[in-house]
Structures are given as structure tokens and as C-alpha cells.
Amino acid sequence: MPPPTPTLLPSLALFILFIFSSSTTSNAHNITRILAKHPEFSTFNHYLTTTHLASEINRRQTITVLALDNAAMSALLDKQLSLYTLKNVLSLHVLVDYFGSKKLHQITNGTALTSTMFQATGAAPGSSGYINITDLKGGKVGFGAEDNDGKLDAVYVKSVAEIPYNISVLQISQVLNSAEAEAPTAEPSQLNLTEIMSKQGCKAFGDMLKASGADATFNENIDGGLTVFCPTDPVIKGFMPKYENLTAAQKVSLLLYHGIPEYQSMQTLKSSNGIVNTLATDGANKYDFTVQNDGEVVTLKTKVMTAKITGTLKDEEPLIVFKIDKVLLPRELFKTVEAAEAPKASKSKHKAADAPESDAPAESDPADQSADNENGVAGLDGRRLVMVLLSFCIGVLLM
Ligand SMILES: *[C@@H]1O[C@H](CO)[C@@H](O)[C@H](O)[C@H]1NC(C)=O
Ligand SMILES: *[C@@H]1O[C@H](CO)[C@@H](O)[C@H](O)[C@H]1NC(C)=O
Ligand SMILES: *[C@@H]1O[C@H](CO)[C@@H](O)[C@H](O)[C@H]1NC(C)=O
Ligand SMILES: *[C@@H]1O[C@H](CO)[C@@H](O)[C@H](O)[C@H]1NC(C)=O
Ligand SMILES: *[C@@H]1O[C@H](CO)[C@@H](O)[C@H](O)[C@H]1NC(C)=O
Ligand SMILES: *[C@@H]1O[C@H](CO)[C@@H](O)[C@H](O)[C@H]1NC(C)=O
């Protein structure tokens, strides 16, 4: 490694700050509470909550909310959009960058395009979902959706709250018009899960859900928040012989094991590693698995195997559907299957696959213990990395 130059210091310090800040999973800000102090935004605040946007805003670290007062909201509500379309329109008013009132008036070259939550959640088609912010004559700042023919519909009114660089809430004069955001959207409860799957490479899994009746449980859980992991068609094809060996009840448990009764965005999965319960969980430590990210890759680890998330089929809170590269095998089902096989054969033939299980320290409850170990080791690695970096920095400082 070449000797670090003094210019490296600020970036190293920033990097360490980043490591510390990204390890905190909970955010300090609460948009509902911020807006509650300002009754002129009560309608806007109400709809941020009912569309679930508030929780998404609170999860984000660096965000700007373009708030609409009750009069501007009433003009928007006159359009009688469905709640889910309204969500798209409001998410266009959430910028995934920090704009304090100062920065607003000091935009490089006087104009900028900035990404919004509408664009970031993948709901926006193509490159729509960007907002044009332009410094106008007389100190005014104009705002317009990029797909609005260059028209800047709204101007900046005032700063409502600024917590640099976590969240900024700025009032703008009126709603930003966007044909893309206002396009009719299917309501999640009308979303046909098996249809979404069959159109995007997970037809076989969708068929299994229907054939087993497990689809009913998935559908019942959509409104309250649901995350689904579907193994792709080639994966299911290879798994079929094993699946056919399961009883009807075991098949249902296996399928329910692929759903979490909670909306978990990709960002949440990346930032909050740990054990999650599934739709199959019927008691403590039953049918759970561990979410663990490895750089940009999110893995799902059961006691039997590890799968990777390879894509997103649908992300429309409260429903999100991910593609995975393996069938999730719960220890509750696949331990018994393998124990029933001849032990000698399994040792030599499937050594790699069996290793995590047979290495578990105690037969009485191997799962709990190794789960704790895994978490402990992961935590230690993180701390070790920070320590190494810290001592490196101190070393550089002393030079
Ligand atoms: C900004 O967010 C970070 C991380 O969530 C938090 O630790 C910090 O307290 C927040 N800053 C303020 C001023 O609230
Ligand atoms: C945010 O604030 C509102 C109102 O004070 C409260 O009901 C809600 O539970 C808070 N949300 C979080 C995540 O703390
Ligand atoms: C500002 O304008 C200059 C000259 O047109 C251009 O080179 C530069 O990339 C622009 N900067 C930004 C941030 O758009
Ligand atoms: C923003 O809109 C204004 C007015 O239509 C236009 O002149 C400007 O080029 C746009 N800025 C960007 C970055 O697209
Ligand atoms: C979903 O669509 C399929 C056909 O694509 C249909 O057979 C099924 O009944 C639909 N399910 C629901 C819950 O509407
Ligand atoms: C299915 O079960 C039978 C009998 O228990 C067993 O011999 C066979 O290996 C199993 N097949 C698969 C693919 O697990």
C-alpha cells in the first residue's frame, strides 16, 4: 500500500463516518411528527401516512419533502385519483437528495434535475420521475416534473423544517403535474400475485402456490405488508423431484416459507440483517431464516442452504416480490428428509450441502446456537473493520 497523502485524510474520515452512520438502522427523523406541528399541512400529512410513504421517508437518510398545504392538496384530491395513484403523485414530491433553502438558491448553473422517490422505487417508467429545479429571476425557485414539457408548475414558498443532512421539508406553491405519476395504478389488493410471477419468470412457483392453495395466505397478507421471494422457473424445475416427495401439508409450509408478512424494501433488507419470521412461522424459532448482505448482494440463509436475491419483480408498498436463485429449504423439512436417507451416502455425496447442519454444535437445538454464532461473528467482523480503519487513521494523523 502506498503511503497515504494528507489529502486522503478527509475522505478516510468521511468513510469512517459513513461506516458508523450506515450501521445505525433507525433514523432520528419522523415526518409525521415534523408536519404535525404545522396544521396547514394536515391533509398532506394524513396522505403520507395512508399511502405508507411516511415510513419510507423515515427510513431514508437524505431526503427532501416538497410539502403541499391544505389548499394545494384539495386541488389534487379534486382529481379523484385512487389512493395508489395518489401515492405515486406524492412520491414525486419526495426528493432523494437533501435540499436546504440555501442550496435551493445556489444550484450550479441555476438548474438541476433531481431524482424522486417515484423514480427510485421503480414505479416510474423509463426516465420519468425526475424533478427540474430552476433558479428563476427575482430570487424565485421553480419546480416541475421532467415529463411536463418544460413547464415549472410550482415555486418555492418557505422552509418548514431542516435537519441537515437528514431531512428537509420545503413548502411549494402547488402540486407538480406529471402524466406518468397520475397514470392509473392497480391497487395492491387487486394485484394478482400469481399473474405477476407468471409474467416475469416465476410461473412455476406461482402454479405451485395455486395448486397447493397457499396463494390464499399470500393474498390475505398483501394489505398488511408482504415480501415474497420467488425461485425462478429453472430453479423450480430442478427442485420438482424433491417437492413431489413432500406431503401436501409440507408443500404448503415450504411455499409459505417464501413470504415475510411485512413489506421489506431492498434498502431495508440491505441495512437490517438478522433473523426474520415467515408466513410458515407458527412458533418461536420455527420456519425462520437469516437475511444477510454481502456487499450489494442480499442473501437468505437457512440452516440447510443459502439463496441470493437476483432481482425485483414488483415493488409497490405494501407488496414487494423478489427473484431468488434457489428454493429456500427450511430445516424443519429438509433435516428429516436427509436424516431418512442413508447417513453414509449423504456424508460422502452431499458433503457441502450437509456441512452447515452436521457441524452444528449441539443436536438438541442446533439452529438457535449456530444462529447466535453467525450473528456474533458478523458483528465482530464489522467492529474489527472499524477498529482497523481507526487505527490506520490515527497512524496517518501521527505521521
Ligand atoms: C441524522 O440521522 C442520523 C442517522 O440516522 C442520526 O444519528 C442523527 O441524530 C440525525 N441528526 C439529527 C440532527 O437528527
Ligand atoms: C412518528 O410520529 C407519530 C406522531 O407523533 C407517531 O404516531 C409514530 O409512531 C411515529 N413513528 C415512528 C416510526 O416513530
Ligand atoms: C454547468 O455548465 C457548464 C457549462 O455549460 C457544464 O460544463 C457543467 O457540466 C455544468 N454543471 C452542472 C453541474 O450541470
Ligand atoms: C428545467 O426547465 C427549464 C425550463 O423549462 C429549462 O430551461 C431547463 O433546461 C431545465 N433544466 C434541466 C436540467 O433540464
Ligand atoms: C389471477 O390470475 C389468474 C389468471 O392469470 C387467475 O386464474 C386467478 O384466478 C387470478 N387470481 C386472483 C386472486 O384474482
Ligand atoms: C423421495 O423419497 C424416496 C423415499 O423416501 C427416496 O428414496 C428418494 O430419494 C426421495 N427423492 C428425492 C428427490 O428426495
Short mmCIF file of all heavy atoms in Angstrom, two decimals, residues 1 15 18 32 46 51 104 107 127 131 142 207 213 230 257 286 293 318 350 378 385 390 395:
data_model
loop_
_atom_site.label_atom_id
_atom_site.label_comp_id
_atom_site.label_asym_id
_atom_site.label_seq_id
_atom_site.Cartn_x
_atom_site.Cartn_y
_atom_site.Cartn_z
N MET A 1 0.86 -1.20 0.00
CA MET A 1 0.00 0.00 0.00
C MET A 1 0.88 1.24 0.00
O MET A 1 1.78 1.35 0.82
CB MET A 1 -0.89 -0.03 1.25
CG MET A 1 -1.98 1.02 1.22
SD MET A 1 -2.89 1.05 2.77
CE MET A 1 -3.98 -0.34 2.50
N PHE A 15 -15.21 8.24 5.28
CA PHE A 15 -15.51 6.83 5.12
C PHE A 15 -15.87 6.19 6.46
O PHE A 15 -16.83 5.44 6.57
CB PHE A 15 -14.29 6.12 4.50
CG PHE A 15 -14.51 4.66 4.26
CD1 PHE A 15 -15.59 4.24 3.50
CD2 PHE A 15 -13.66 3.71 4.79
CE1 PHE A 15 -15.80 2.89 3.26
CE2 PHE A 15 -13.86 2.37 4.56
CZ PHE A 15 -14.94 1.96 3.80
N PHE A 18 -19.13 7.26 7.52
CA PHE A 18 -20.13 6.53 6.75
C PHE A 18 -20.39 5.16 7.36
O PHE A 18 -21.51 4.73 7.53
CB PHE A 18 -19.65 6.39 5.30
CG PHE A 18 -20.48 5.45 4.47
CD1 PHE A 18 -21.72 5.85 4.02
CD2 PHE A 18 -20.03 4.17 4.19
CE1 PHE A 18 -22.49 4.99 3.28
CE2 PHE A 18 -20.80 3.30 3.45
CZ PHE A 18 -22.04 3.73 2.99
N THR A 32 -44.08 12.47 10.12
CA THR A 32 -45.43 12.69 10.68
C THR A 32 -45.36 13.69 11.83
O THR A 32 -46.19 14.60 11.93
CB THR A 32 -45.99 11.35 11.19
OG1 THR A 32 -45.79 10.37 10.19
CG2 THR A 32 -47.46 11.45 11.51
N HIS A 46 -51.67 13.53 6.45
CA HIS A 46 -52.59 12.39 6.51
C HIS A 46 -52.32 11.43 5.34
O HIS A 46 -52.24 10.21 5.53
CB HIS A 46 -54.03 12.91 6.46
CG HIS A 46 -55.05 11.85 6.24
ND1 HIS A 46 -55.47 11.01 7.26
CD2 HIS A 46 -55.72 11.45 5.12
CE1 HIS A 46 -56.36 10.16 6.77
NE2 HIS A 46 -56.53 10.40 5.48
N THR A 51 -50.75 6.39 2.59
CA THR A 51 -50.10 5.77 1.42
C THR A 51 -48.83 5.02 1.81
O THR A 51 -48.14 4.48 0.94
CB THR A 51 -49.70 6.84 0.37
OG1 THR A 51 -48.87 7.80 1.02
CG2 THR A 51 -50.91 7.53 -0.22
N LEU A 104 -31.01 25.44 -2.43
CA LEU A 104 -32.02 25.69 -3.46
C LEU A 104 -31.68 26.93 -4.29
O LEU A 104 -31.90 26.99 -5.49
CB LEU A 104 -33.36 25.90 -2.74
CG LEU A 104 -34.63 25.39 -3.35
CD1 LEU A 104 -34.49 23.94 -3.76
CD2 LEU A 104 -35.75 25.53 -2.34
N ILE A 107 -28.02 26.60 -6.86
CA ILE A 107 -27.86 25.43 -7.73
C ILE A 107 -26.85 25.76 -8.83
O ILE A 107 -26.92 26.83 -9.44
CB ILE A 107 -29.23 25.03 -8.34
CG1 ILE A 107 -30.13 24.50 -7.23
CG2 ILE A 107 -29.06 24.01 -9.45
CD1 ILE A 107 -31.56 24.33 -7.64
N SER A 127 -37.31 7.20 -17.84
CA SER A 127 -36.56 8.20 -17.08
C SER A 127 -37.47 9.22 -16.41
O SER A 127 -37.03 10.23 -15.92
CB SER A 127 -35.58 8.92 -18.00
OG SER A 127 -36.32 9.72 -18.91
N ILE A 131 -37.37 15.61 -11.15
CA ILE A 131 -37.90 16.96 -10.95
C ILE A 131 -36.85 17.97 -11.40
O ILE A 131 -35.66 17.83 -11.08
CB ILE A 131 -38.24 17.19 -9.46
CG1 ILE A 131 -39.40 16.30 -9.03
CG2 ILE A 131 -38.56 18.65 -9.18
CD1 ILE A 131 -40.70 16.59 -9.74
N GLY A 142 -38.21 27.66 -9.21
CA GLY A 142 -39.32 26.94 -9.83
C GLY A 142 -39.12 25.43 -9.77
O GLY A 142 -37.98 24.94 -9.77
N ASP A 207 -47.65 -21.35 -10.05
CA ASP A 207 -48.51 -22.53 -10.24
C ASP A 207 -48.54 -23.39 -8.97
O ASP A 207 -49.59 -23.94 -8.61
CB ASP A 207 -48.00 -23.37 -11.42
CG ASP A 207 -48.25 -22.67 -12.76
OD1 ASP A 207 -49.04 -21.70 -12.78
OD2 ASP A 207 -47.64 -23.08 -13.78
N GLY A 213 -52.98 -24.25 -2.82
CA GLY A 213 -53.89 -23.41 -2.04
C GLY A 213 -53.17 -22.40 -1.17
O GLY A 213 -53.80 -21.59 -0.49
N CYS A 230 -39.48 -15.39 -4.85
CA CYS A 230 -39.85 -16.50 -5.73
C CYS A 230 -38.65 -17.05 -6.49
O CYS A 230 -37.91 -16.32 -7.14
CB CYS A 230 -41.01 -16.13 -6.65
SG CYS A 230 -40.71 -14.83 -7.80
N TYR A 257 -42.99 -20.54 3.48
CA TYR A 257 -41.64 -20.17 3.93
C TYR A 257 -41.03 -19.10 3.02
O TYR A 257 -40.07 -18.45 3.38
CB TYR A 257 -40.79 -21.44 3.90
CG TYR A 257 -39.44 -21.38 4.59
CD1 TYR A 257 -39.34 -20.99 5.93
CD2 TYR A 257 -38.28 -21.73 3.91
CE1 TYR A 257 -38.11 -20.97 6.56
CE2 TYR A 257 -37.04 -21.71 4.54
CZ TYR A 257 -36.96 -21.33 5.87
OH TYR A 257 -35.75 -21.30 6.49
N LYS A 286 -39.38 -21.11 14.61
CA LYS A 286 -39.87 -22.07 13.62
C LYS A 286 -39.89 -21.41 12.24
O LYS A 286 -40.37 -20.29 12.11
CB LYS A 286 -41.29 -22.53 13.97
CG LYS A 286 -41.36 -23.40 15.22
CD LYS A 286 -41.10 -24.86 14.89
CE LYS A 286 -40.92 -25.70 16.12
NZ LYS A 286 -42.10 -25.67 16.98
N ASN A 293 -26.48 -9.35 4.24
CA ASN A 293 -25.97 -8.82 2.98
C ASN A 293 -24.47 -8.93 2.91
O ASN A 293 -23.75 -8.85 3.90
CB ASN A 293 -26.47 -7.40 2.70
CG ASN A 293 -25.94 -6.42 3.71
OD1 ASN A 293 -26.12 -6.63 4.90
ND2 ASN A 293 -25.29 -5.39 3.25
N PRO A 318 -47.79 -1.85 -0.22
CA PRO A 318 -47.26 -2.83 0.73
C PRO A 318 -46.78 -4.18 0.15
O PRO A 318 -46.54 -5.10 0.92
CB PRO A 318 -48.46 -3.07 1.65
CG PRO A 318 -49.65 -2.87 0.77
CD PRO A 318 -49.26 -1.82 -0.22
N HIS A 350 -23.19 -35.64 -0.44
CA HIS A 350 -23.68 -34.26 -0.33
C HIS A 350 -22.94 -33.53 0.78
O HIS A 350 -23.53 -32.83 1.57
CB HIS A 350 -25.18 -34.25 -0.02
CG HIS A 350 -25.97 -35.13 -0.91
ND1 HIS A 350 -26.20 -34.81 -2.22
CD2 HIS A 350 -26.57 -36.31 -0.69
CE1 HIS A 350 -26.94 -35.77 -2.77
NE2 HIS A 350 -27.17 -36.69 -1.86
N ALA A 378 -20.58 -12.03 12.54
CA ALA A 378 -20.78 -10.92 11.62
C ALA A 378 -20.54 -9.60 12.34
O ALA A 378 -19.87 -8.72 11.83
CB ALA A 378 -22.19 -10.95 11.05
N LEU A 385 -13.33 -4.24 11.45
CA LEU A 385 -13.04 -3.39 10.30
C LEU A 385 -12.92 -1.94 10.75
O LEU A 385 -11.99 -1.23 10.36
CB LEU A 385 -14.16 -3.55 9.26
CG LEU A 385 -14.03 -2.68 8.01
CD1 LEU A 385 -12.79 -3.06 7.23
CD2 LEU A 385 -15.26 -2.84 7.13
N LEU A 390 -9.78 2.79 12.08
CA LEU A 390 -9.50 3.83 13.06
C LEU A 390 -8.01 3.89 13.37
O LEU A 390 -7.41 4.96 13.36
CB LEU A 390 -10.27 3.54 14.35
CG LEU A 390 -11.62 4.25 14.48
CD1 LEU A 390 -12.30 3.87 15.79
CD2 LEU A 390 -11.44 5.76 14.42
N GLY A 395 -2.77 6.37 12.88
CA GLY A 395 -1.41 6.23 12.39
C GLY A 395 -1.07 7.35 11.42
O GLY A 395 -0.03 8.00 11.52
#
